[in-house]
Amino acid sequence: MKLSKTSTASSAPGKLLLFGEHAVVYGHPCIVTAVDQRLTARVTQTESGKLLLKTPDIEFETSLTTISTIKKHPKEVQFVLAAVVEFRNTYPEIEGLEIETKSAFSSKFGFGSSSAVTVAVLHALHVLYKKRVSKQMLFDMAYRCVLDVQGVGSGFDVASAIWGGTILYVMGGKKIEPIKTDVLPITVAYTGVKVETAPLINQVSELKKQYPTLIEHLFNEVERVVELAKKAIEKQDWQMLGVLMNLNQGILESLGVSSKVIHQTSDLLKENGVLGAKLSGAGGGDCVVAVYDPSKQSIQTSKTISVALQAPGVRTEVI
Ligand code: PMV
């Protein structure tokens, strides 16, 4: 195959879940925003029959014919390998590849480096091999990769990496609706504790098995909160959005996924005047998000991290 360009790069944003975590795994909507810290993948075509992968954590080489057994390879490279396998299933003509990934964010914040790297690699491969791909097709491919490697997950992070901005999302990409607002006065604080998502998803699943009606009832309440939060964002009613954040946090508390560090971080933000706060993501730790009044001073605490929200989705980068 003749290629006019042998190297290209794509970047995808990280994400923050604003409303609806856990319930989204059971078909209810959630609201997610993309953060301006991006993961970049540079892909170069070679004729070596090999895949050479350079990440900030690991350098790894394997034969392209043996990568399909993804789980036997190191954890750090599994999402990239899954993306290459997914692309090769449709376009088997790849002879050799070099992939280099760089991240503007630390994986400890829970900004979704796995989904961002999967999306960035798949996007860059389509550009390199001049294959057209719609956002929905890219979503289906990347979501399959994430499920292959991780086993569980609603795919909200994959959708956010592709569409960017702030979206209302329903599992499997059944609904992906951009929520329009020019401002989103939400501050982000890191609890200092990194958590694994899968055990918390399993914990909620166990609770749901024990109390199916009760938990479904709570998830229906979350859905109502998400619908109202969408309206509050569109109307720029930040007081209401703050109340809804506190309500969503209350439900997450009752699901047992909040923690001491989350309470401490929320309390710190509330002492500094935020209108409402909640955990973001699976729970246990990671980040806390909080709404503030944009007509007053923005919130600065020792735990606040500086990120801009509503970042653009996956895109080609000039190299
Ligand atoms: O911990 P994070 O940021 O990966 O978020 C997990 C959110 C869940 O709803 C618990 C799981 C999911 O895939 O939707």
Side-chain angles (χ1 to χ4, degrees):
M1 188 176 29
K2 191 102 186 95
L3 294 169
S4 55
K5 196 176 181 189
T6 56
S7 200
T8 188
S10 297
S11 76
K15 53 76 191 153
L16 271 171
L17 240 176
L18 300 181
F19 289 93
E21 43 276 271
H22 289 289
V24 65
V25 178
Y26 300 89
H28 300 274
C30 73
I31 296 176
V32 55
T33 192
V35 302
D36 73 342
Q37 306 208 358
R38 306 182 75 85
L39 190 309
T40 306
R42 180 190 170 124
V43 296
T44 305
Q45 187 219 11
T46 66
E47 286 162 5
S48 61
K50 289 194 173 140
L51 170 67
L52 176 63
L53 179 54
K54 293 180 191 165
T55 79
D57 305 316
I58 189 171
E59 200 166 310
F60 172 84
E61 193 178 80
T62 184
S63 147
L64 267 172
T65 48
T66 58
I67 58 171
S68 41
T69 43
I70 289 159
K71 285 282 164 68
K72 77 173 195 294
H73 297 298
K75 239 179 154 211
E76 298 89 331
V77 299
Q78 290 184 1
F79 288 95
V80 175
L81 297 187
V84 174
V85 170
E86 177 68 38
F87 187 79
R88 272 189 104 218
N89 286 344
T90 317
Y91 305 111
E93 58 259 46
I94 301 179
E95 285 168 18
L97 277 177
E98 250 177 60
I99 302 181
E100 191 176 352
T101 65
K102 281 198 185 117
S103 177
F105 53 87
S106 159
S107 60
K108 72 180 183 188
F109 293 143
F111 282 167
S113 48
S114 325
S115 45
V117 80
T118 310
V119 166
V121 169
L122 273 169
H123 185 268
L125 285 171
H126 281 87
V127 175
L128 184 68
Y129 287 91
K130 297 194 183 328
K131 305 291 182 191
R132 286 175 69 86
V133 66
S134 67
K135 283 183 175 168
Q136 190 62 47
M137 274 166 67
L138 193 61
F139 173 85
D140 292 341
M141 293 174 96
Y143 186 38
R144 267 197 299 274
C145 296
V146 169
L147 286 182
D148 276 355
V149 176
Q150 213 169 260
V152 284
S154 66
F156 78 97
D157 41 3
V158 176
S160 179
I162 295 171
W163 272 265
T166 301
I167 54 172
L168 182 132
Y169 172 84
V170 175
M171 176 124 163
K174 286 191 200 80
K175 211 186 239 183
I176 298 168
E177 278 175 19
I179 302 179
K180 295 259 179 286
T181 176
D182 50 352
V183 279
L184 191 59
I186 287 177
T187 188
V188 185
Y190 181 55
T191 59
V193 176
K194 160 99 192 95
V195 288
E196 290 292 322
T197 302
L200 283 154
I201 295 182
N202 295 337
Q203 186 185 314
V204 173
S205 153
E206 283 307 312
L207 194 66
K208 194 165 184 298
K209 272 186 211 141
Q210 271 181 294
Y211 303 98
T213 320
L214 209 56
I215 302 302
E216 199 44 52
H217 181 71
L218 289 179
F219 286 163
N220 285 330
E221 294 306 314
V222 173
E223 178 157 349
R224 186 78 191 118
V225 168
V226 167
E227 282 161 2
L228 290 173
K230 179 175 183 274
K231 289 201 179 108
I233 295 172
E234 283 164 347
K235 285 192 301 186
Q236 304 197 343
D237 185 340
W238 311 125
Q239 294 284 343
M240 177 177 168
L241 198 69
V243 171
L244 293 167
M245 273 205 171
N246 290 339
L247 283 170
N248 197 159
Q249 171 65 19
I251 301 172
L252 290 162
E253 296 271 353
S254 50
L255 291 173
V257 295
S258 199
S259 69
K260 198 171 165 188
V261 281
I262 289 171
H263 300 155
Q264 286 166 342
T265 311
S266 301
D267 287 349
L268 182 66
L269 290 163
K270 285 181 181 160
E271 282 157 20
N272 280 271
V274 299
L275 304 170
K278 63 176 277 298
L279 64 86
S280 171
D286 284 349
C287 287
V288 167
V289 285
V291 188
Y292 61 89
D293 181 344
S295 64
K296 303 208 175 117
Q297 247 183 328
S298 70
I299 310 293
Q300 276 307 328
T301 71
S302 54
K303 295 194 169 194
T304 308
I305 49 177
S306 157
V307 280
L309 307 181
Q310 312 216 83
V314 68
R315 66 182 181 212
T316 300
E317 296 292 340
V318 179
I319 46 171

